[in-house]
Amino acid sequence: MEPVRLSKRMAELGLCSRREADEYIARGWVTVDGVVVDVLGSKVLPEQKIELRRQAQRAQSQRVTVLLNKPVGYVSGQAEQGYQPAVVLIRPENHWAGDASGIRFAREHLGNLAPAGRLDIDSVGLLVLTQDGRVAKALIGEESGVEKEYLVRVSGRLGPEGLALLNHGLSLDGQPLKPAKVQWQNADQLRFVLQEGKKRQIRRMCELVGLRVTGLKRIRIGRIALGDLPQGKWRYLGADERF
């Protein structure tokens, strides 16, 4: 088999992101078959054993992931059209008193804190921001299959055929969507469970079957539920929690 870049292989193995891999390699924190490799661009064979040294493991353990109950009016990523990014809400005064992680807020937790997935400006609920490339890859990497669950308030009429299409059979941007799990939660609210996250996907899916979304709330990502986290508040992902 052909050799591949060490940083790419590290990301494929879920050791870290490619950006983090380059940092660890440059610092001499990576071994291949027990030998330190500190040259960027180095290549390895798929069967070679890649390990992080203690310094890299320590650096990873200090990276945090934050769970925010995003309100309406904030964008997930970069500021746009006068709207603020959700990361501005990660302040000590918004830290949820019910956070059981045991992690104390530190200013360095705000460095390189980026959203792992989008939640549009009109939507509310669970938004993940992380410093950890492993978390980002798990949630938004090309091979991610982590479920995301939403409660979606709608207006309009939806027959059995439309509900069947929401579950499987729709396409967006010329690409067929993965099967979803969509069912009625109550008279005007649907529950969606998706394994992908195209831009404004649920709103566009609903439009295709004659519905208009009047409210959208994300309540779960993988095994992590929004739970009792109040709107506008945030907490840390605990060491024992996994998506």
Side-chain angles (χ1 to χ4, degrees), residues 172-190:
L172 291 178
D173 306 321
Q175 296 289 325
L177 296 174
K178 294 180 181 179
K181 299 173 189 171
V182 185
Q183 61 190 49
W184 285 106
Q185 177 76 2
N186 53 46
D188 64 349
Q189 195 172 53
L190 290 163

Side-chain angles (χ1 to χ4, degrees), residues 87-238:
V87 72
V88 303
L89 294 171
I90 312 304
R91 302 191 299 261
E93 56 267 35
N94 294 334
H95 190 185
W96 182 40
D99 188 338
S101 68
I103 302 172
R104 296 185 63 179
F105 176 77
R107 288 289 168 190
E108 52 265 31
H109 293 166
L110 300 177
N112 298 316
L113 193 62
R118 64 172 68 90
L119 195 59
D120 69 52
I121 193 167
D122 300 317
S123 301
V124 303
L126 184 57
L127 180 67
V128 177
L129 302 109
T130 187
Q131 296 177 323
D132 193 331
R134 296 169 298 175
V135 172
K137 183 176 186 292
L139 297 187
I140 59 176
E142 290 182 5
E143 298 178 7
S144 174
V146 174
E147 287 187 344
K148 300 170 182 70
E149 184 173 351
Y150 305 80
L151 294 178
V152 184
R153 201 167 298 281
V154 294
S155 62
R157 294 180 60 84
L158 180 69
E161 301 85 359
L163 185 60
L165 280 172
L166 287 174
N167 277 272
H168 193 209
L170 296 176
S171 296
L172 291 178
D173 306 321
Q175 296 289 325
L177 296 174
K178 294 180 181 179
K181 299 173 189 171
V182 185
Q183 61 190 49
W184 285 106
Q185 177 76 2
N186 53 46
D188 64 349
Q189 195 172 53
L190 290 163
R191 180 184 295 266
F192 277 71
V193 178
L194 305 180
Q195 288 186 307
E196 59 189 333
K198 295 183 181 294
K199 189 171 183 179
R200 297 181 76 84
Q201 178 173 336
I202 291 176
R203 295 175 189 275
R204 295 164 70 195
M205 288 173 70
C206 287
E207 287 171 4
L208 290 174
V209 295
L211 295 177
R212 185 173 73 88
V213 172
T214 59
L216 188 152
K217 181 178 185 178
R218 183 156 63 202
I219 60 171
R220 179 175 64 87
I221 299 177
R223 292 193 293 239
I224 303 300
L226 183 63
D228 297 326
L229 184 63
Q231 194 166 112
K233 299 290 187 179
W234 62 272
R235 72 174 180 87
Y236 289 108
L237 183 74

